[in-house]
Amino acid sequence: MIRARGNYGEIHNALSIGQDTEGGYTVPDEFDRKLVQALGGEEAIAPLWELAALATIADIVPLLGENRVIVSFGLADMARTKRPGLIALMESAGVDPGSVTSSDVAFRMAPRINAGGRLALASRGVELLTTRKSDVAREIAAELDQDNVKRRELEIEIFTQADAITRREIDFREERAIVVCGEGWNPGVIGLAASRLVEKYKWPTVLLSQDGDVCVGSARSIPGVDIHRAMAECRDLFVRFGGHAQAAGLTIETKHVPEFRRRLTQAIRRQASPEAFIPTEEYDLELELSEMTEELVEAFDSMQPTGFGNPAPVFCLRGVHTTDVRQIGKDGAHLRMRLAQGSEMRSAIAFRMGPRARSMPEVIEAVVSLSINEWQDRRSVQCEIRQFQAYMPAKAFLQECQRQESGIDRALLETLSGKGEARAEGAERMKLEEAKRVLSDELLTAYQGTLLCVHTLPALKMANIHLAILHAQLDYALGELSDERMFNTLVMAPDWAQIRCQPRAIVMLDGFVNDVERGAVLAQFPEARVIEVSGLEQQSAAAAQRLLPPDDALRTLYRALRQREAMDNTLSVLAAQTGLTESMALCGLYIFRELALIEFTLSPFRYRLLLSGRVSLEASAVRGRLREMAAARGG
């Protein structure tokens, strides 16, 4: 979900250091007395601005008030520093001292210093920043750079393993925290891996490194969940723990981990609303691509330094086209693309979103931050995509299903030709208006665990209309659900076997489900509440009439198959020869296969006639079920 968080058009004009702000600061002499001031007076602070700024950013302190002053003065000093350690650190991190920013410190410099403490000796960072010898500084900076590479590799390795366990073991419908334990995970790195899991799932996360009977862990949280407060309710299980609202550390005996996992979820449920677990991406202003100019970026740069607690502005783009989408980086971890809107075009990058290249919508809405990219003496505005989704998701989903109509036809025909237990009872049946009341009053208020299922495109079009009236917050899936959190989803489900999840409720919106399909649903989801909606039978009938050829046309198709068996052939050629649509020709193949008249494959298209005696079309379950659908009427 993308929602506004504020309006930078109403921000006060005190953007530069030294201007009065309501309840804020004016000049540095308003600082509270710090240790350095107490020991050496205010003049003792001057040589330490740059180190204070580095520490403030690295320790993720809110960049507000006095902290922002420290960072502002420190960055200015860092740009002209004579300290060998800082010079070497910026060189190894690829930071231009003349334009160093809080982001450079947070994402390039600080991780290198921290890597030493995570993997080896924290004292090397101290030595780097205190040495007066340039050669020693460069040597230590190079070592820390290598440590940072190793740290990143370990982080990705732990994240990958923890993610696999999460997908296998965590029930997102019931559990309000990811608690995952692994043997031999580096305790200095698991917090970073936990942050990656939080970034992926938007769920509070605790990673535990097991060493025999004891586990050492790191916790990371999401807005709306105070992880320290929740863990405090479990303090009797810990050897030790501490932290704050968004991050914590703990030591726990291995035998207590299952109880901790259970009680942590209970504690989080007591304090956090269900809405806290709906992923959102907030933005400050909605802009057109044409408004994203160098002048705009430079204007907002006057708000620097920004960082934790005082974030840089982010913007929402709607209805932009994506082109030249490609994966970049190691293992295709990132996405690069171009965004187009009217005659305007901007380059864009999306970090850690490489796998989403396979499902990139043609038109998106996105939350982006802006920067100036300089390459070969050319400057241009670059968008860093923080999150994106299809523009007008319901409409985009319908368009995607229409593009894949032939695949949907095949899946539906496979379902109709399936065999299984026929069950006429076991599901709740209700009229459309009653079902809408249930959805509005009960199912959709839980945000997770409800599948709204359709078989056919006509039913999907009608469902979209009624769900829009309900203002339902939905995910969309074609056949297979890919989100383990299982938020309420409208799924095009012509083949039930592709749905691998355990929903709380299933609402079948086609208006017609045959007894075998119903039996398959009830058998596959025995714990779910199953609702069949009546009143949409006309949509099901329209889909059946589009697929089912008349009996005379089926006989003509079979004759054509016999005549052309030895020739190169395609489904479209057969359809054209018999005057059928490709969908009807495909349906005919399924009917003939069911009657043991042919064998066929679709990719590549091949078929073979089988020896057979006299058969009756009445013996085809596919034909019979489609005729039932076609005869159905709403009511």
Side-chain angles (χ1 to χ4, degrees), residues 3-75:
R3 67 184 183 193
R5 75 177 181 202
N7 186 347
Y8 268 79
E10 299 174 0
I11 288 181
H12 55 74
N13 60 6
L15 297 179
S16 60
I17 298 302
Q19 288 184 293
D20 288 318
T21 62
E22 189 175 343
Y25 55 84
T26 54
V27 292
D29 64 7
E30 291 185 9
F31 291 178
D32 292 336
R33 290 188 175 274
K34 300 294 186 279
L35 179 62
V36 171
Q37 288 174 299
L39 294 177
E42 292 187 8
E43 65 274 10
I45 299 174
L48 302 176
W49 283 120
E50 55 196 11
L51 295 184
L54 176 62
T56 300
I57 297 170
D59 205 31
I60 318 180
V61 174
L63 296 192
L64 298 170
E66 191 173 283
N67 291 330
R68 187 162 172 260
V69 177
I70 293 171
V71 171
S72 181
F73 286 1
L75 291 176

Side-chain angles (χ1 to χ4, degrees), residues 132-363:
R132 297 183 180 182
K133 298 180 179 179
S134 297
D135 56 341
V136 173
R138 284 192 292 271
E139 181 181 343
I140 297 173
E143 292 173 358
L144 291 175
D145 190 60
Q146 289 302 311
D147 284 346
N148 193 49
V149 172
K150 294 177 185 175
R151 183 273 307 165
R152 189 182 301 112
E153 291 173 349
L154 280 174
E155 178 187 336
I156 293 173
E157 180 182 346
I158 294 171
F159 164 75
T160 302
Q161 294 174 11
D163 187 33
I165 298 171
T166 297
R167 286 184 277 110
R168 186 170 64 247
E169 295 184 0
I170 300 299
D171 182 353
F172 284 95
R173 287 187 306 136
E174 301 298 330
E175 298 180 74
R176 283 297 173 259
I178 298 169
V179 180
V180 170
C181 188
E183 292 189 12
W185 288 347
N186 188 305
V189 179
I190 54 175
L192 301 174
S195 294
R196 281 184 178 252
L197 279 177
V198 171
E199 182 182 336
K200 177 176 181 179
Y201 292 107
K202 304 297 190 291
W203 226 254
T205 298
V206 182
L207 292 193
L208 299 165
S209 176
Q210 181 179 349
D211 184 5
D213 295 334
V214 176
C215 295
V216 177
S218 286
R220 298 292 185 270
S221 196
I222 59 175
V225 176
D226 185 333
I227 195 69
H228 183 268
R229 177 180 151 200
M231 289 174 63
E233 297 187 34
C234 312
R235 66 169 69 243
D236 58 296
L237 299 175
F238 304 142
V239 176
R240 65 180 64 88
F241 99 103
H244 53 82
Q246 291 298 295
L250 71 152
T251 302
I252 184 173
E253 292 184 51
T254 304
K255 65 183 179 182
H256 293 318
V257 171
E259 178 67 5
F260 168 54
R261 179 171 165 177
R262 184 185 68 82
R263 285 171 55 181
L264 182 62
T265 280
Q266 292 177 342
I268 292 174
R269 282 190 183 279
R270 283 191 288 270
Q271 69 157 274
S273 66
E275 288 84 355
F277 294 86
I278 300 175
T280 60
E281 193 70 40
E282 297 181 337
Y283 66 91
D284 299 295
L285 288 174
E286 184 172 333
L287 297 177
E288 297 289 317
L289 208 58
S290 60
E291 297 175 286
M292 295 184 171
T293 62
E294 290 184 37
E295 291 75 19
L296 179 76
V297 177
E298 290 167 354
F300 277 107
D301 276 348
S302 66
M303 299 180 66
Q304 295 294 333
T306 57
F308 179 70
N310 179 35
V314 291
F315 309 98
C316 181
L317 283 167
R318 299 189 193 275
V320 293
H321 292 258
T322 58
T323 63
D324 301 330
V325 179
R326 63 187 186 280
Q327 291 178 255
I328 62 171
K330 186 177 180 180
D331 300 324
H334 314 303
L335 278 180
R336 184 173 290 283
M337 69 192 79
R338 293 185 70 78
L339 304 178
Q341 190 176 50
S343 61
E344 297 289 331
M345 189 167 287
R346 300 287 185 274
S347 62
I349 189 165
F351 293 108
R352 299 184 186 178
M353 297 187 194
R356 296 183 65 180
R358 294 185 293 272
S359 57
M360 173 62 69
E362 291 183 6
V363 184

Side-chain angles (χ1 to χ4, degrees), residues 572-604:
S572 58
V573 168
L574 283 171
Q577 186 181 11
T578 55
L580 298 173
T581 64
E582 288 192 34
S583 296
M584 285 184 171
L586 178 66
C587 181
L589 295 180
Y590 274 88
I591 291 172
F592 297 150
R593 185 176 70 180
E594 194 175 35
L595 297 175
L597 294 173
I598 65 169
E599 292 178 345
F600 72 90
T601 61
L602 292 171
S603 207

